[in-house]
Amino acid sequence: MHSLPKGIKEHLSAQYSINKRVLWIAGTYFPDLGGAEWSLMGNACLMKNNYGQLILVHKEHGNRVIDGIPVLECNLNSPSEILRFIRRFDPGVVATQGLYARPVIEQCLNLEVHVVYFLRAKTQLDFSNYLKNEFFTVVANSKWMTGWFKQKWGISPCLLNPVVLPWVVTKESPRKPEYITHVGDADVKGGGRVLKIAKELSNERFLVTRSWPAFRNNEKWREDRIGQLKNGDGAKNNFEPVLADFNGAPNVRLEWPFLDPSALYRQTKILLVASKWREPYGRVVIEGLLNGLPVIVSPEVQNDIWSDLVYHVNNPEDPKEWSSVICKVLRTGIEKYRRIAIDEFCSRFNNNDSVRVLENEIFNI
């Protein structure tokens, strides 16, 4: 930490001066773009007035400051380096998620430091020893993930809906809705389904964002991350995301993930969420509804927070059913009842409840 630039040191000193401190440790953070990264950023942003915070990430983008919070690089494959940061920052609680969570949890429990694991998707991590420890807490991001964890481990974790920052995903700027949009070209995220839909509706224009394997092909990132997926998180050894091949679909525009998600939604007239795997939460659906977009989802994408506000497809492998729903929306636009429903969603959506639970029931420092 002594070699940090002056500006970063000043921000770090300011965090040290606050009595209640949280150390966040995750493999990735902004500008890496995924639901887990955005959720962590949302938590940190809303808590920054009352908590000193430091975010540790695996070596990738360099040390930086985001929203006044230092984001420092750490070799998360090194338990001793993790331990060094924990001792120096002396947090009241450590929060972790994702691929490097196991060494973080074990170092914290050895030190008798309260550690909170954010369960954002199904994992094969072995929790049997952790759950017996009074310094360990699990937080799930949806009722479905809470139920999955209880069935597997016999204990109900805390429930905390991820924080979505409306001012990040919605901005008052001119709209030019010209695309049917889908986030992710990986097959498991529904890329192959969207390819079939795009061929069925060849007169419509589609926008599809790339997934992390394509994003990292030229940065020697995949080998390290896949190694963690295979070993650190207990995933199957043959793990390798398959990307849909859109070369034969001239009406599909492929884009890298948007650093400003509102820019993506300003170009969107319909949002598709065609995932093949069971989405733990469905963050992108919330972002679409906050932007007033009609959202069409596959049966694998379910959440009682918004399930009554979206269009559903029953047979997701049938592109004709998708195209039928899309054409219906295009003909009628967002019907009056739909606009009322979306306005109702905006009023029921409240980050304050999530932060209250986070501070009072989970961190409690």
Side-chain angles (χ1 to χ4, degrees):
M1 296 188 192
H2 298 294
S3 60
L4 292 174
K6 182 180 178 181
I8 295 180
K9 278 186 177 180
E10 291 172 350
H11 282 281
L12 186 58
S13 296
Q15 304 305 309
Y16 271 110
S17 67
I18 303 174
N19 289 332
K20 297 190 291 186
R21 293 192 294 277
V22 178
L23 176 61
W24 305 89
I25 305 180
T28 54
Y29 192 65
F30 191 86
D32 278 321
L33 299 178
E37 288 79 15
W38 284 118
S39 294
L40 195 162
M41 176 180 279
N43 288 341
C45 181
L46 291 185
M47 294 175 63
K48 66 181 181 180
N49 291 332
N50 299 320
Y51 290 82
Q53 299 181 91
L54 170 62
I55 299 169
L56 292 187
V57 296
H58 195 58
K59 296 180 178 180
E60 200 158 311
H61 293 292
N63 298 320
R64 53 204 187 274
V65 174
I66 297 176
D67 267 331
I69 303 170
V71 182
L72 304 184
E73 289 189 338
C74 173
N75 180 2
L76 295 181
N77 286 315
S78 169
S80 61
E81 191 164 345
I82 294 170
L83 179 61
R84 180 168 60 88
F85 272 97
I86 294 173
R87 283 177 167 162
R88 286 193 177 185
F89 193 61
D90 190 25
V93 64
V94 174
T96 190
Q97 63 188 39
L99 306 181
Y100 298 90
R102 183 170 59 184
V104 176
I105 294 169
E106 291 173 355
Q107 290 300 315
C108 288
L109 297 186
N110 287 337
L111 292 171
E112 296 189 342
V113 172
H114 184 199
V115 58
V116 177
Y117 174 77
F118 283 84
L119 177 70
R120 303 204 185 277
K122 290 171 68 174
T123 172
Q124 295 187 41
L125 279 176
D126 184 354
F127 291 90
S128 55
N129 291 325
Y130 306 152
L131 294 173
K132 302 171 186 176
N133 197 301
E134 64 179 308
F135 293 98
F136 181 69
T137 301
V138 179
V139 178
N141 62 353
S142 67
K143 288 183 178 178
W144 177 68
M145 287 308 304
T146 299
W148 172 83
F149 192 88
K150 183 177 181 181
Q151 183 179 27
K152 189 173 179 66
W153 295 104
I155 295 176
S156 291
C158 297
L159 172 61
L160 180 76
N161 291 327
V163 169
V164 179
L165 301 175
W167 58 87
V168 173
V169 300
T170 64
K171 292 180 181 176
E172 291 296 330
S173 299
R175 283 180 48 77
K176 190 179 179 182
E178 54 183 318
Y179 294 103
I180 298 170
T181 295
H182 185 265
V183 176
D185 61 347
D187 191 63
V188 71
K189 297 293 285 186
R193 291 174 173 176
V194 176
L195 175 59
K196 293 177 183 177
I197 299 166
K199 290 181 176 179
E200 183 74 20
L201 292 173
S202 57
N203 59 328
E204 289 291 337
R205 300 175 69 193
F206 289 75
L207 191 159
V208 177
T209 61
R210 308 301 301 271
S211 300
W212 65 262
F215 193 46
R216 293 299 178 191
N217 266 349
N218 298 322
E219 299 182 28
K220 297 181 179 179
W221 184 89
R222 295 177 63 191
E223 294 79 7
D224 179 52
R225 289 293 187 269
I226 289 175
Q228 288 296 320
L229 283 163
K230 289 177 180 177
N231 304 312
D233 205 22
K236 296 179 180 178
N237 287 332
N238 62 358
F239 175 83
E240 180 73 36
V242 176
L243 304 183
D245 184 1
F246 287 95
N247 288 327
N251 59 327
V252 176
R253 170 185 160 194
L254 284 175
E255 280 285 355
W256 301 115
F258 283 64
L259 291 176
D260 176 6
S262 68
L264 172 66
Y265 297 124
R266 285 197 299 272
Q267 302 175 58
T268 298
K269 56 185 181 182
I270 296 176
L271 179 65
L272 305 183
V273 187
S275 293
K276 281 188 175 182
W277 79 313
R278 177 69 186 268
E279 290 284 350
Y281 184 64
R283 179 189 187 90
V284 68
V285 179
I286 289 178
E287 294 180 357
L289 290 174
L290 288 173
N291 278 277
L293 299 176
V295 183
I296 307 174
V297 304
S298 65
E300 293 86 350
V301 186
Q302 298 181 20
N303 192 313
D304 58 5
I305 295 176
W306 44 253
S307 61
D308 59 324
L309 307 179
V310 301
Y311 296 88
H312 296 268
V313 170
N314 296 317
N315 301 301
E317 298 302 333
D318 181 5
K320 293 186 181 299
E321 184 174 345
W322 285 94
S323 63
S324 175
V325 178
I326 290 170
C327 290
K328 174 186 175 183
V329 174
L330 290 175
R331 284 194 306 270
T332 61
I334 303 175
E335 305 93 330
K336 183 177 181 179
Y337 82 87
R338 179 65 57 191
R339 171 53 59 188
I340 293 173
I342 290 172
D343 290 342
E344 178 187 329
F345 174 77
C346 291
S347 66
R348 78 169 79 155
F349 177 77
N350 189 347
N351 278 324
N352 292 333
D353 289 343
S354 293
V355 174
R356 177 187 55 77
V357 172
L358 190 69
E359 294 185 351
N360 298 339
E361 299 180 24
I362 297 172
F363 284 174
N364 194 26
I365 60 173

